[in-house]
C-alpha cells in the first residue's frame, strides 16, 4: 500500500522494523520498495542507509530471492555495499567470478579500449554513472574466479575463466587492464590444501611468463589491503610485514614460482624502505 501511494521509503522503514522484530520477510515487497525508492520524490532525510543495507543483506541471505531482482538491487545500491558497512554486492561479485562475459562487460564500461582513439566527445551523464558504478563494483570485488561457495578452490575453473577473459579482452583491446583487475581479486584466494599459503593453481597463474599485469595488480592490492594505520615511530609494523612477505616469497620460490617470489620480495623491500624512512624521521626529530 505504501509503495502504491508513492511512499517507498516509508515501506522500507516498515520492512526494517519487520527485520528487527525477526518476523517473516517478504522479499518481493522489499525489492519493489527498494527499486521504487530510486525514482521517488519522497523526502529521504529520515532514511537510514544502514537500514537499506540490512534489507539488502536479508535479500542476499534468502534463497527465495529472484537472482535477477537481487542483481538489479545490488547494482542500484552499490555505493552502500562496502566494507565500512560490512556489506558487499555478493551476487554481482559471484557473477564477476563465474561469468567471464559479465566481467568483460564491466571492464568495458570503465576502461577505454587500447584499439580505439581517444574520443573528444564528452561522455553523457548516464555513461559516467554506469562507469562509476562499474568501477565501484570492481573495487569491492572479493570473490575471485575459482572460489566455491563452500570455501574450497577450483583451479580448473580459474583456468577456464582466465582463458575466456583473455580471448575476449584481447579482441576488444582491454587485456592489460583486465588482467590487472584480476590480480586485485586473487589476493582473496584460500591456501592450498598441501599447506602452501596460496592455492597452487593461483600461484601458477600469477607466475606465468605473460602474467606481469596480473602480478602488478596482485602486488598493488596486497599493499592497499593494509588500509589506514597508525604510524609506529619505530617502524616495527613495517618490518613485520617485510618479514611476512619475504617468508611467503621463499615459500613460493621453493614451490617453483620464481616470478611470483620476485613480486613478493619487491613488496617486502617497499616495507623495509618505509620502515627505514619512519625510523630516520624519528631520529631526526629527536636531534
Amino acid at each position: 500500500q505504501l509503495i502504491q501511494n508513492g511512499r517507498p521509503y516509508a515501506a522500507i522503514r516498515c520492512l526494517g522494523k519487520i527485520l528487527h522484530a525477526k518476523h517473516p520477510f517478504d522479499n518481493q515487497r522489499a525489492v519493489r520498495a527498494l527499486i521504487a525508492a530510486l525514482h521517488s520524490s519522497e523526502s529521504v532525510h529520515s532514511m537510514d542507509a544502514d537500514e537499506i543495507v540490512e534489507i539488502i543483506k536479508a535479500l542476499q541471505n534468502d534463497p527465495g530471492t529472484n537472482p535477477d531482482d537481487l542483481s538489479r538491487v545490488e547494482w542500484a545500491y552499490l555505493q552502500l555495499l562496502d566494507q565500512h558497512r560490512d556489506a558487499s554486492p555478493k551476487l554481482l561479485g559471484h557473477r564477476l567470478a563465474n561469468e567471464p562475459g559479465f566481467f568483460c562487460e564491466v571492464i568495458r564500461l570503465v576502461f577505454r579500449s587500447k584499439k580505439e582513439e581517444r574520443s573528444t566527445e564528452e561522455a553523457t551523464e548516464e555513461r559516467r554513472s554506469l562507469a562509476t558504478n562499474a568501477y565501484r563494483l570492481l573495487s569491492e570485488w572479493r570473490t575471485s574466479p575459482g572460489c566455491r561457495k563452500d570455501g574450497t578452490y577450483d583451479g580448473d575453473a580459474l583456468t577456464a575463466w582466465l582463458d575466456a577473459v583473455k580471448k575476449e579482452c584481447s579482441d576488444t583491446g582491454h587485456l592489460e587492464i583486465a588482467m590487472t583487475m584480476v590480480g586485485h581479486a586473487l589476493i582473496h584466494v584460500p591456501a592450498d590444501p598441501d599447506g602452501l599459503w596460496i592455492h597452487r593453481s593461483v600461484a601458477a597463474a600469477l607466475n606465468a611468463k605473460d602474467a606481469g599485469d596480473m602480478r602488478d595488480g596482485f602486488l598493488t592490492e596486497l599493499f592497499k589491503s593494509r588500509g589506514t594505520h597508525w604510524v609506529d615511530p619505530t617502524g616495527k609494523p613495517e618490518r613485520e610485514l617485510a618479514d611476512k612477505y619475504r617468508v611467503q616469497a621463499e615459500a613460493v620460490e621453493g614451490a617453483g614460482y620464481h616470478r611470483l617470489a620476485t613480486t613478493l620480495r619487491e613488496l617486502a623491500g617497499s616495507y623495509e624502505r618505509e620502515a627505514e624512512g619512519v625510523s630516520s624521521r624519528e631520529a631526526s626529530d629527536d636531534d
Side-chain angles (χ1 to χ4, degrees):
Q1 188 71 32
L2 289 170
I3 300 172
Q4 292 175 351
N5 291 338
R7 299 182 61 200
Y9 284 105
I12 289 171
R13 283 189 289 272
C14 287
L15 287 165
K17 292 176 181 178
I18 289 171
L19 272 181
H20 185 72
K22 298 183 179 181
H23 291 159
F25 182 73
D26 186 338
N27 57 47
Q28 291 185 348
R29 181 187 173 199
V31 169
R32 289 197 303 271
L34 290 169
I35 296 301
L38 299 171
H39 311 286
S40 173
S41 59
E42 184 182 5
S43 173
V44 300
H45 296 301
S46 60
M47 191 68 245
D48 187 349
D50 290 337
E51 196 166 49
I52 292 178
V53 169
E54 290 307 310
I55 292 171
I56 293 173
K57 285 182 179 180
L59 290 172
Q60 292 172 332
N61 294 328
D62 186 346
T65 302
N66 182 289
D68 292 336
D69 287 341
L70 183 53
S71 286
R72 189 180 176 194
V73 166
E74 287 186 348
W75 179 264
Y77 288 94
L78 266 176
Q79 62 182 343
L80 302 182
L81 301 177
D82 57 27
Q83 296 180 73
H84 301 295
R85 293 187 173 89
D86 191 27
S88 66
K90 289 183 179 180
L91 182 59
L92 291 177
H94 179 78
R95 289 189 62 193
L96 286 174
N98 290 276
E99 300 175 27
F102 178 66
F103 171 80
C104 295
E105 179 185 353
V106 172
I107 289 289
R108 290 194 298 272
L109 284 173
V110 182
F111 303 103
R112 185 173 60 89
S113 169
K114 294 188 72 173
K115 294 184 177 182
E116 296 176 4
E117 294 184 7
R118 186 176 295 275
S119 176
T120 58
E121 190 175 319
E122 187 175 350
T124 64
E125 183 62 33
E126 180 183 7
R127 182 68 179 80
R128 286 195 294 269
S129 178
L130 283 171
T132 298
N133 233 27
Y135 185 75
R136 188 177 286 126
L137 175 58
L138 290 171
S139 299
E140 292 297 324
W141 187 26
R142 300 289 181 272
T143 306
S144 63
C147 281
R148 299 190 182 105
K149 290 185 177 180
D150 63 1
T152 58
Y153 201 81
D154 185 343
D156 291 336
L158 170 66
T159 300
W161 187 95
L162 278 174
D163 287 346
V165 166
K166 287 178 180 179
K167 182 179 185 309
E168 185 167 344
C169 287
S170 292
D171 292 343
T172 64
H174 295 86
L175 180 62
E176 291 85 354
I177 189 61
M179 291 299 99
T180 300
M181 299 310 292
V182 173
H184 290 183
L186 291 180
I187 75 165
H188 302 289
V189 302
D192 196 272
D194 71 3
L196 187 65
W197 64 269
I198 185 172
H199 199 279
R200 285 179 178 270
S201 61
V202 177
L206 286 165
N207 192 67
K209 188 175 181 180
D210 64 350
D213 294 308
M214 197 153 51
R215 286 193 295 275
D216 288 345
F218 186 77
L219 184 151
T220 299
E221 197 65 15
L222 280 178
F223 187 79
K224 286 169 54 181
S225 67
R226 186 183 184 189
T228 57
H229 56 279
W230 175 72
V231 177
D232 185 331
T234 67
K236 180 181 177 183
E238 288 73 25
R239 291 189 178 89
E240 290 175 345
L241 285 168
D243 290 342
K244 169 189 172 181
Y245 290 120
R246 186 170 289 103
V247 168
Q248 289 187 346
E250 290 173 358
V252 294
E253 185 166 58
Y257 308 116
H258 306 292
R259 297 184 185 91
L260 177 56
T262 298
T263 295
L264 291 164
R265 288 196 179 97
E266 288 177 14
L267 184 56
S270 71
Y271 278 118
E272 283 180 339
R273 290 188 294 275
E274 188 175 339
E276 291 169 1
V278 169
S279 298
S280 297
R281 287 194 296 272
E282 179 66 15
S284 297
D285 290 342
D286 290 341
D287 291 341

